[in-house]
Amino acid sequence: MFIVEETIAGTEAAQIPKQRGDSLLETAVRYTEERHWDVFPGTWLEALDGSQRCSCGDAACPAPGSHPARPDWATQATGSATVARRMWQRQPTASILLPTGRTFDAISVPETAGFLALARMERMELTLGPVTLTPDRRMEFFVLPGAGVKVPDLVRKLGWSVSSLDLAVLGEGAYVAAPPTRFGSRGAVQWACRPTPANRWLPDAEELISPLAYACGRDR
């Protein structure tokens, strides 16, 4: 079980859970063992002249300490706890990144739309998978793979176009940053809905797209 605070209580005023205790290594291993997610280490933060810089060396890095460290990251990703442990032992402060398009895709929406959608989903008694909240004010809803193919048509059937909504699907060739990865000085990724045994089976994008599209439409 992941050691985090309770999940969102289901209202617009709900609090985001905070990550406790575990090291990045222990957390990455836990993702492979308990969720069977592939993981790979990204960049990390380095102290330089009193400030934190991304290990990539770019002083203007848009995602400091939270992006892939090498171009072949997709082949580096592993579902093996042993391999994950070895990788984080080499660089204990590396961010934890999860490739999408394998065991899950992610639907990314603005934070304000995400909270509105969560409240609506609770009223609809929908079963959610894990949901992250990132320091760049995005929420990422984990769904079954294949969402990228389905979502544009599903959104059109609801009377929207994907281009008119600030909604994106992260599938094959993309990744998400997992808690407790930090985005420079902006803060850490947190769970809005934490991984539990109850949400091991992910929802299909079709189950969540209506409240997500509605919330994004309201948020425009």
Side-chain angles (χ1 to χ4, degrees):
M1 184 72 68
F2 292 99
I3 305 173
V4 290
E5 297 291 345
E6 284 305 310
T7 191
I8 284 179
T11 69
E12 286 85 343
Q15 296 299 306
I16 292 294
K18 290 190 172 134
Q19 187 84 24
R20 292 182 192 157
D22 286 352
S23 70
L24 289 159
L25 184 155
E26 291 167 332
T27 304
V29 168
R30 214 168 255 161
Y31 289 146
T32 64
E33 290 180 333
E34 296 185 12
R35 299 303 289 201
H36 303 293
W37 289 340
D38 284 3
V39 300
F40 67 98
T43 53
W44 56 92
L45 297 172
E46 298 177 331
L48 183 65
D49 298 329
S51 63
Q52 289 187 318
R53 295 278 186 90
C54 185
S55 62
C56 72
D58 182 358
C61 179
S66 57
H67 64 86
R70 42 193 273 187
D72 63 343
W73 61 263
T75 61
Q76 185 188 23
T78 180
S80 164
T82 300
V83 175
R85 185 177 299 278
R86 190 181 308 132
M87 289 193 293
W88 268 272
Q89 283 174 338
R90 286 198 293 264
Q91 183 45 254
T93 58
S95 54
I96 303 174
L97 305 180
L98 312 175
T100 50
R102 298 187 183 188
T103 52
F104 66 88
D105 283 357
I107 301 176
S108 174
V109 300
E111 174 189 308
T112 49
F115 277 118
L116 177 61
L118 282 175
R120 192 173 178 87
M121 289 171 186
E122 184 177 77
R123 291 194 296 271
M124 297 169 68
E125 298 185 345
L126 294 178
T127 300
L128 288 175
V131 182
T132 62
L133 175 65
T134 70
D136 56 2
R137 305 183 73 84
R138 303 288 295 183
M139 292 181 80
E140 293 164 344
F141 290 73
F142 289 21
V143 295
L144 290 172
V149 175
K150 297 179 179 180
V151 163
D153 190 48
L154 292 171
V155 169
R156 279 193 295 271
K157 288 178 179 177
L158 293 169
W160 303 93
S161 66
V162 173
S163 61
S164 70
L165 302 177
D166 189 2
L167 180 152
V169 178
L170 304 173
E172 187 174 358
Y175 61 90
V176 298
T181 293
R182 297 192 65 82
F183 282 38
S185 61
R186 283 177 278 171
V189 185
Q190 299 179 58
W191 289 116
C193 290
R194 62 191 177 90
T196 69
N199 63 19
R200 183 174 297 281
W201 302 105
L202 298 176
D204 191 277
E206 190 168 359
E207 300 172 60
L208 305 187
I209 199 62
S210 177
L212 285 172
Y214 170 80
C216 287
R218 284 277 303 271
D219 193 50
R220 289 190 309 167

